[in-house]
Amino acid sequence: MGLSPAVTTLCENPNEVFMDVAKLLLTYADNILRNPHEEKYRSIRIGNPTFSTKLLPVKGAVECLFEMGFEEAETHLVFPQTASVEQLRLIRESIAAERDQRLGGGQAAAQTKAAAQAQGGACASAPLSPEAGTSQPATPVQQPPSLESSMNFLVTLQSNFQHVMVYENHELQQKAKSCIPHQQLSATAEKKMIEAKAVDPDCKLCQEDFVVLELLRWFKQDFFSWVDCLPCSRCGGKTHNTGSLSPSTEDLRWGAQRVENHFCQTCQLSNRFPRYNNPEKLLETRRGRCGEWANCFTLCCRAVGLEARYIWDSTDHVWTEVYSPSQRRWLHCDSCENTCDKPLLYEVGWGKKLCYILAFSKDQVVDVTWRYSCKHPEVLSRRTKVQEPWLLHTISSLNNTRQQSLSLQRKKELTERLLVELVEFLSPKTPKPGELGGRNSGSLAWRVARGESRAPDTQTPARTSGFVFTPTDEEKRAQQLHVRYSVSTDQYCRVSNHAQVIPGWEQCVWQSEAVFRKEETDWQMVYLARTEGLSTGKVSWRFDISPTEMKIKSVTVTAKSQTFHSGTVCWEAQSGQTSTKFSGDGTTQALSNLSGSSEFIVVATLRGGDGDASWQHAQLFRQSSKETDEAAFEIVVELETV
């Protein structure tokens, strides 16, 4: 049996580096094997000097811990009670066998060391690159980047690093804060935090986490608007972007080096669209594409006291990260998409070929590419604009200059945060349901042109599955399972279980295929629709009574769907080999054929429609974003003992 990927990578280090790290890894493993019930041996503090200086920088070392079964948890790596001790033992034995071979190899070990030194092969000493923890695929030898390429990259680093200081202007923050309904957002955030802790008493999230979510929602729904092409200022008709116009003195004053010409064929009129880079001006215009959105949203975050940083992606997108004190980590926040903590969205959902993603805050620059990728070797093969050592050195120099005036305490805090980030970058990643879909912001033509409508290498739409409604003790006593969903608040209410609130339409879904939640900010309407460019969307909810000594007495369902042109929505309830169709007209209907059974699935299938907007012609649960009290989907299951 061959070595695991992590152990194989670990073995690529020079002999003395390998031996030092192997000793540490074996100690971690042996402590658990010898003392399986001692909690102190199941936790490794990331900020521990031994871990951060002797293990973290060495390629393959942290990956070995992950392969053993350790998991990332805020400021520690933990070996959970559910982890496989046998897996831990297997990785431990692989490392021990390699160590013993090197100890007994004598001359062979010396030759290995000499060869490594001759090739310059030492452990990665700089923690800002994932090369310290990712084995690279064999790639053709490439020409080193040119001096011009390095200088262009340096200008990008310096300009972004300087720009974020604008967000620290007190007067500008006050101007931004005057635009934000801060008290209202805070009150809503506090209410949702209380609801979350009622559902989960162990919830560690604080009000600030919920403020981030509310700020994202408000920014997209109520404050900012997306611009593909401006409506004609004379006739209000459609325009086309026909190139650039010369910026005026006023444009340049607000950082608009580029002005787009949105030309109206009917009026023969040029409509000027300056691409402002000054967030103060954006507080007035409140429109643009991702550059304007991220620029203004990052300012709004700083205005309400959130610690935020501006994220630049070399493949032409920008967004924001917000630091969560309660979770002790940075949260991905994309205001264009109203999305939080979905970092794999771009690589997995949009199909982006990522290269460089950099975070800029008032205190530091961080290469955060690895948070947004689960395909590190592929990303590394594309990072050819500058040499990695040059990038590490340049980032370090910029940070040293910026941090000269910081207190020792603040410097220590930033270092500890960075160590936690580095472990997060190296930890195994799998996409979450919200990271599987294509882009929502912008027109379909614009997204297709950029290859961001959905992952291009996916022939079938992404599918998520897993949640099953089964009766709780409370529901068994009441002999009822009652669930409601409101699309405007995007929350389920499990009425029969102490009115438990579950946020997120995907959280209670059995299967979802090419369906997403759409918010129309102009019409202030919300609904579920199928992914653009696909002919079919499907979503289902599963109810299973079989774990109890009960059966279904009756089922009633209320479902609202709406169609336009040739769009269709088919509703049906499936149980075993039987299937019953029912209407989505909003009336309450009894599903009599389910009486006596122990499980069923409710399925909605969306098809049809005309033209580019066909995906909008079949909708589930359409309602006003202001209708927060009305449920668009409701199922009541009455139970009886067998």
Side-chain angles (χ1 to χ4, degrees):
M1 180 174 167
L3 298 176
S4 71
V7 177
T8 300
T9 303
L10 184 69
C11 293
E12 294 172 1
N13 289 288
N15 191 58
E16 57 189 53
V17 173
F18 171 86
M19 298 300 287
D20 287 344
V21 174
K23 182 179 179 181
L24 277 174
L25 292 172
L26 294 176
T27 299
Y28 288 138
D30 290 342
N31 282 339
I32 295 174
L33 294 172
R34 292 168 184 162
N35 309 278
H37 304 297
E38 288 284 343
E39 287 297 322
K40 65 180 180 180
Y41 294 125
R42 290 174 171 264
S43 178
I44 306 170
R45 186 168 66 85
I46 294 171
N48 180 290
T50 300
F51 177 87
S52 61
T53 62
K54 295 186 178 181
L55 192 145
L56 181 59
V58 177
K59 63 180 181 181
V62 176
E63 287 90 333
C64 283
L65 290 174
F66 287 134
E67 284 193 352
M68 287 179 184
F70 280 86
E71 296 178 359
E72 183 190 359
E74 295 184 353
T75 58
H76 290 69
L77 292 184
V78 297
F79 189 80
Q81 293 290 343
T82 55
S84 169
V85 174
E86 185 57 33
Q87 174 67 13
L88 175 86
R89 194 188 308 277
L90 285 173
I91 301 301
R92 185 249 180 240
E93 293 306 321
S94 294
I95 297 171
E98 177 67 21
R99 178 205 58 182
D100 293 345
Q101 182 178 346
R102 295 193 183 201
L103 283 173
Q107 185 178 1
Q111 291 173 345
T112 300
K113 177 179 178 180
Q117 290 174 338
Q119 296 171 8
C123 71
S125 58
L128 286 173
S129 171
E131 288 181 291
T134 308
S135 58
Q136 300 182 42
T139 55
V141 176
Q142 298 173 326
Q143 291 295 324
S146 66
L147 178 61
E148 181 182 4
S149 177
S150 297
M151 290 304 98
N152 289 338
F153 208 95
L154 177 61
V155 170
T156 298
L157 289 169
Q158 291 175 327
S159 61
N160 280 309
F161 205 16
Q162 185 59 39
H163 177 75
V164 295
M165 297 306 295
V166 174
Y167 307 139
E168 305 309 311
N169 182 296
H170 179 71
E171 291 182 2
L172 182 54
Q173 287 185 3
Q174 290 303 309
K175 185 172 183 178
K177 195 169 183 179
S178 68
C179 300
I180 304 169
H182 191 214
Q183 289 186 338
Q184 178 185 337
L185 298 182
S186 296
T188 304
E190 183 178 12
K191 178 183 176 183
K192 291 188 176 180
M193 179 187 68
I194 293 171
E195 291 174 349
K197 292 192 174 183
V199 173
D200 180 10
D202 296 326
C203 176
K204 296 180 181 179
L205 301 179
C206 65
Q207 184 175 345
E208 194 172 278
D209 294 304
F210 291 89
V211 167
V212 173
L213 300 179
E214 291 306 304
L215 190 64
L216 277 165
R217 179 195 57 76
W218 164 81
F219 194 86
K220 176 155 187 173
Q221 292 184 9
D222 302 328
F223 190 69
F224 229 72
S225 60
W226 185 270
V227 173
D228 286 310
C229 283
L230 296 173
C232 178
S233 59
R234 180 179 294 166
C235 70
K238 193 172 183 180
T239 65
H240 298 277
N241 186 348
T242 59
S244 299
L245 298 171
S246 298
S248 66
T249 303
E250 185 68 8
D251 295 332
L252 294 173
R253 177 192 169 199
W254 297 108
Q257 304 286 340
R258 183 161 53 98
V259 178
E260 295 177 358
N261 181 13
H262 292 195
F263 189 74
C264 177
Q265 293 284 0
T266 304
C267 301
Q268 295 293 299
L269 180 69
S270 291
N271 295 267
R272 304 177 80 259
F273 178 39
R275 301 301 303 276
Y276 295 120
N277 194 41
N278 190 309
E280 182 175 3
K281 186 66 173 178
L282 295 175
L283 292 173
E284 300 172 7
T285 62
R286 302 183 183 185
R287 67 185 185 185
R289 294 197 278 275
C290 64
E292 290 90 344
W293 281 66
N295 196 354
C296 192
F297 181 74
T298 308
L299 169 63
C300 290
C301 289
R302 295 295 299 126
V304 299
L306 298 170
E307 192 166 352
R309 58 192 189 186
Y310 179 84
I311 310 300
W312 172 84
D313 167 19
S314 64
T315 61
D316 193 25
H317 190 47
V318 285
W319 59 91
T320 309
E321 284 185 352
V322 176
Y323 189 75
S324 167
S326 66
Q327 301 178 65
R328 298 181 181 180
R329 64 189 181 95
W330 288 94
L331 302 177
H332 153 251
C333 296
D334 192 324
S335 57
C336 300
E337 306 289 295
N338 186 16
T339 295
C340 181
D341 204 19
K342 300 287 190 298
L344 296 183
L345 173 68
Y346 310 115
E347 182 179 74
V348 177
W350 297 10
K352 272 183 167 291
K353 304 299 183 184
L354 302 176
C355 300
Y356 302 92
I357 301 177
L358 300 167
F360 299 88
S361 69
K362 63 184 179 67
D363 291 331
Q364 64 182 166
V365 186
V366 180
D367 184 353
V368 295
T369 310
W370 321 107
R371 170 175 293 119
Y372 295 91
S373 173
C374 56
K375 304 172 183 177
H376 288 187
E378 288 184 21
V379 173
L380 280 166
S381 70
R382 291 192 290 267
R383 284 167 64 104
T384 58
K385 289 188 177 181
V386 295
Q387 294 181 338
E388 294 295 328
W390 179 93
L391 181 60
L392 293 172
H393 175 76
T394 303
I395 288 176
S396 178
S397 297
L398 290 171
N399 287 337
N400 288 337
T401 302
R402 180 64 60 87
Q403 295 173 11
Q404 283 180 353
S405 60
L406 298 183
S407 66
L408 290 176
Q409 180 59 36
R410 178 61 174 169
K411 290 180 180 178
K412 179 181 177 183
E413 182 181 15
L414 292 173
T415 301
E416 289 177 349
R417 285 186 188 179
L418 184 57
L419 289 173
V420 172
E421 278 197 280
L422 294 172
V423 174
E424 178 195 339
F425 296 163
L426 295 174
S427 64
K429 300 176 181 67
T430 54
K432 300 185 286 287
E435 297 170 318
L436 297 172
R439 184 172 189 160
N440 293 327
S441 55
S443 69
L444 176 59
W446 186 73
R447 280 172 279 159
V448 169
R450 294 164 59 91
E452 296 170 353
S453 58
R454 65 187 178 104
D457 56 349
T458 303
Q459 297 302 315
T460 57
R463 176 185 291 264
T464 61
S465 64
F467 188 86
V468 181
F469 285 102
T470 57
T472 63
D473 290 340
E474 174 67 20
E475 289 165 338
K476 285 187 284 188
R477 285 193 293 269
Q479 296 190 329
Q480 185 187 76
L481 202 166
H482 183 183
V483 179
R484 309 173 78 227
Y485 172 71
S486 167
V487 73
S488 62
T489 60
D490 196 24
Q491 290 182 341
Y492 292 88
C493 179
R494 195 158 177 169
V495 181
S496 51
N497 190 41
H498 305 290
Q500 175 189 5
V501 174
I502 307 170
W505 72 273
E506 292 174 298
Q507 299 307 308
C508 293
V509 161
W510 167 238
Q511 290 187 336
S512 171
E513 185 176 321
V515 171
F516 74 105
R517 179 174 175 270
K518 172 66 175 176
E519 298 180 21
E520 292 181 344
T521 55
D522 46 359
W523 298 101
Q524 295 189 324
M525 301 299 290
V526 192
Y527 51 88
L528 300 188
R530 74 175 187 266
T531 302
E532 298 172 58
L534 300 182
S535 60
T536 303
K538 186 178 291 186
V539 60
S540 61
W541 296 263
R542 182 179 176 186
F543 296 77
D544 188 0
I545 316 302
S546 58
T548 70
E549 296 181 357
M550 308 183 83
K551 63 180 181 179
I552 295 173
K553 181 179 180 181
S554 65
V555 176
T556 58
V557 59
T558 307
K560 292 183 180 180
S561 53
Q562 192 166 347
T563 60
F564 305 87
H565 302 287
S566 62
T568 64
V569 176
C570 175
W571 286 95
E572 57 185 326
Q574 302 171 350
S575 180
Q577 300 300 313
T578 64
S579 176
T580 303
K581 294 185 178 180
F582 61 91
S583 170
D585 60 2
T587 61
T588 300
Q589 300 163 78
L591 305 178
S592 56
N593 66 309
L594 297 178
S595 298
S597 60
S598 61
E599 60 87 25
F600 67 96
I601 300 174
V602 172
V603 184
T605 306
L606 298 81
R607 293 192 178 94
D610 302 326
D612 289 342
S614 60
W615 62 276
Q616 287 183 304
H617 296 164
Q619 302 177 7
L620 303 184
F621 316 142
R622 180 183 177 90
Q623 65 181 162
S624 167
S625 57
K626 307 300 182 184
E627 295 178 15
T628 57
D629 297 327
E630 182 180 349
F633 183 48
E634 186 167 11
I635 294 181
V636 181
V637 184
E638 301 290 347
L639 308 173
E640 61 183 358
T641 55
V642 177

